[in-house]
Amino acid sequence: MALTESVKDELSRVEVTTTSERKAEVSTMLRFSGGLHVVAKRVVIEAEIDHAQTARRLRTALAEIYGHRCEVIVVAGNGLKRGSRYVVRVVREGDALARQTGLIDGRGRPVRGLPAVIVNGSVADAVSAWRGAFLAHGSLTEPGRSCSLEVTCPGPEAALALVGAARRLEILAKAREVRNADRVVIRDAESIAKLLTAMGAHRTLKVWEERRQRREHRASANRLANFDDANLRRSAQAAVAAGARVERALEILADEVPEHLEYAGKLRLEHKQASLDELGRLADPPMTKDAIAGRIRRLLAMADKCAQEKGIPGTDANVTEDMLH
């Protein structure tokens, strides 16, 4: 089951006992599912839902809280909208229900944001408003490089009202216009987890967290592997370049090279891709990394000084561009 469907299935079964919370959820669900229509000068409440259990939850709530009977019409999916859609419709006394749910104000004008009773309600009402908005038009992406929880809104005023509800829950949400649609987006993983917990999607949150951690661990392992690979490659390139310089140093100094420096130089040439630590262990008797590095450094410095006095190319003459990249 996709994460969005899983969240909606779980939220549609959350038990809410407080009347104000149920009203906040129903009003927001109707507002975000395009609930208000005028047909032949009559107000008709129509909510288009993409989840069967959500449609049943809305129908039950309208009957139990407001005493309105409604019909549910199933619309088969087409090329643009896959899967069935469920239209919850209230024709009789639609204007009365619109006033009761806050879809229209006292003067009969449509409310563009969310009803004032929700905006000024409790924190629990804000949670219920988010639950209703998500059930109507929400989505949760699979955790990957980025994660997001989004709600498509009927207009900018509704988007700002939902952002305000999130702020009351101490959750950072942003209103954005994407492809001519107003959306409220939450991208912070901790905020998404906090909201899913508050709304009641505990089972889906567990699955989402497991997938997110698995992806993060995989990404971290890949970064470490790439880092180690890059370090090994650089070490090998440095060793090859050092070998070329040592070879030139032995040519410059010829018989004038001190025996202990010559030994370190020849050890470098015999094991061109070995690290300094490995060279120290290969020496007889074994030497520390610093000791072998110090001998090679003195050998190169002595050779470069000699080359300068003779006016000939120094130890860098043998280092090619390929050895540095």
Side-chain angles (χ1 to χ4, degrees), residues 29-30 33-35 37 45-49 58 86-89:
M29 199 186 304
L30 291 175
S33 57
H37 301 277
I45 303 295
E46 252 186 19
E48 187 174 325
I49 307 293
L58 179 58
Y86 305 88
V87 179
V88 180
R89 178 181 293 168

Side-chain angles (χ1 to χ4, degrees), residues 85-106:
R85 313 283 294 178
Y86 305 88
V87 179
V88 180
R89 178 181 293 168
V90 178
V91 178
R92 294 185 59 186
E93 298 182 337
D95 56 341
L97 179 59
R99 291 179 188 278
Q100 289 173 310
T101 54
L103 294 180
I104 57 177
D105 61 19

Side-chain angles (χ1 to χ4, degrees), residues 236-250:
Q237 288 170 342
V240 170
R245 290 190 68 195
V246 166
E247 188 174 11
R248 175 62 182 162
L250 294 176

Side-chain angles (χ1 to χ4, degrees), residues 13-217:
R13 303 174 194 277
V14 171
E15 287 191 25
V16 181
T17 56
T18 308
T19 302
S20 66
E21 292 177 46
R22 293 186 76 188
K23 285 183 175 181
E25 181 185 304
V26 170
S27 296
T28 309
M29 199 186 304
L30 291 175
R31 181 75 183 92
F32 278 70
S33 57
L36 189 64
H37 301 277
V38 177
V39 179
K41 297 183 179 181
R42 294 174 61 191
V43 175
V44 176
I45 303 295
E46 252 186 19
E48 187 174 325
I49 307 293
D50 63 0
H51 187 258
Q53 178 60 30
T54 300
R56 287 192 288 270
R57 180 183 181 90
L58 179 58
R59 181 179 61 186
T60 301
L62 289 173
E64 292 180 353
I65 301 171
Y66 301 105
H68 288 271
R69 297 187 63 182
C70 57
E71 57 182 338
V72 178
I73 302 166
V74 181
V75 181
N78 54 33
L80 293 176
K81 293 183 179 179
R82 298 178 181 177
S84 298
R85 313 283 294 178
Y86 305 88
V87 179
V88 180
R89 178 181 293 168
V90 178
V91 178
R92 294 185 59 186
E93 298 182 337
D95 56 341
L97 179 59
R99 291 179 188 278
Q100 289 173 310
T101 54
L103 294 180
I104 57 177
D105 61 19
R107 297 182 181 179
R109 297 173 301 186
V111 172
R112 294 188 175 278
L114 283 176
V117 67
I118 297 175
V119 173
N120 300 321
S122 66
V123 171
D125 291 341
V127 171
S128 291
W130 259 97
R131 188 186 303 110
F134 192 93
L135 285 170
H137 249 304
S139 65
L140 176 65
T141 62
E142 289 278 345
R145 286 188 176 180
S146 62
C147 49
S148 70
L149 185 150
E150 295 186 9
V151 174
T152 303
C153 306
E157 297 88 353
L160 290 174
L162 199 59
V163 168
R167 192 181 301 118
R168 297 186 66 193
L169 304 176
E170 298 183 349
I171 291 172
L172 178 62
K174 293 185 177 180
R176 292 180 179 174
E177 186 177 330
V178 182
R179 294 187 292 276
N180 297 321
D182 291 288
R183 298 172 189 263
V184 172
V185 184
I186 301 175
R187 296 201 181 279
D188 176 62
E190 298 303 322
S191 295
I192 292 173
K194 185 176 181 179
L195 181 59
L196 289 175
T197 300
M199 291 192 299
H202 305 289
R203 186 181 66 249
T204 309
L205 172 62
K206 185 178 179 181
V207 174
W208 184 81
E209 285 281 18
E210 286 173 354
R211 294 181 186 177
R212 183 169 72 93
Q213 289 174 8
R214 190 159 58 241
R215 285 179 181 271
E216 285 181 355
H217 290 158

